[in-house]
Amino acid sequence: RVSWAGDVYKRQEYALFFLERAKSYFYHDPELHYLLAFIYYNKNDLKEAEKYLKTCLTVLPGYYPAKAMLKQIDNKKYL
């Protein structure tokens, strides 16, 4: 818990570290790809976020949170 008390950037890096490694075990879990996309979205890396959202939707085409975030990214492209 103490390590999570730090800044947001450090927490995101921890999460990325573990989620990237989890892909080899849980690749077919849409939430894994969504969480990766969520982190990249918050880091304003929309290209990576979009990549993981598309992977998420390949695994589970009807996953609404991924569709909604993809729409947010599309809207940001035209601002």
Side-chain angles (χ1 to χ4, degrees), residues 15-26 32 36:
L16 283 175
F17 176 82
F18 289 107
L19 290 170
E20 286 290 344
R21 279 144 190 81
K23 283 193 303 187
S24 63
Y25 298 101
F26 304 107
L32 171 73
L36 284 161

Side-chain angles (χ1 to χ4, degrees), residues 22-60:
K23 283 193 303 187
S24 63
Y25 298 101
F26 304 107
Y27 186 82
H28 295 289
D29 181 356
E31 188 72 13
L32 171 73
H33 300 288
Y34 177 77
L35 289 172
L36 284 161
F38 183 81
I39 292 169
Y40 283 113
Y41 181 84
N42 285 329
K43 292 174 76 168
N44 209 30
D45 186 346
L46 302 182
K47 185 178 178 181
E48 280 296 300
E50 188 173 14
K51 178 182 92 172
Y52 282 110
L53 290 170
K54 287 180 178 180
T55 304
C56 176
L57 291 171
T58 299
V59 173
L60 184 62

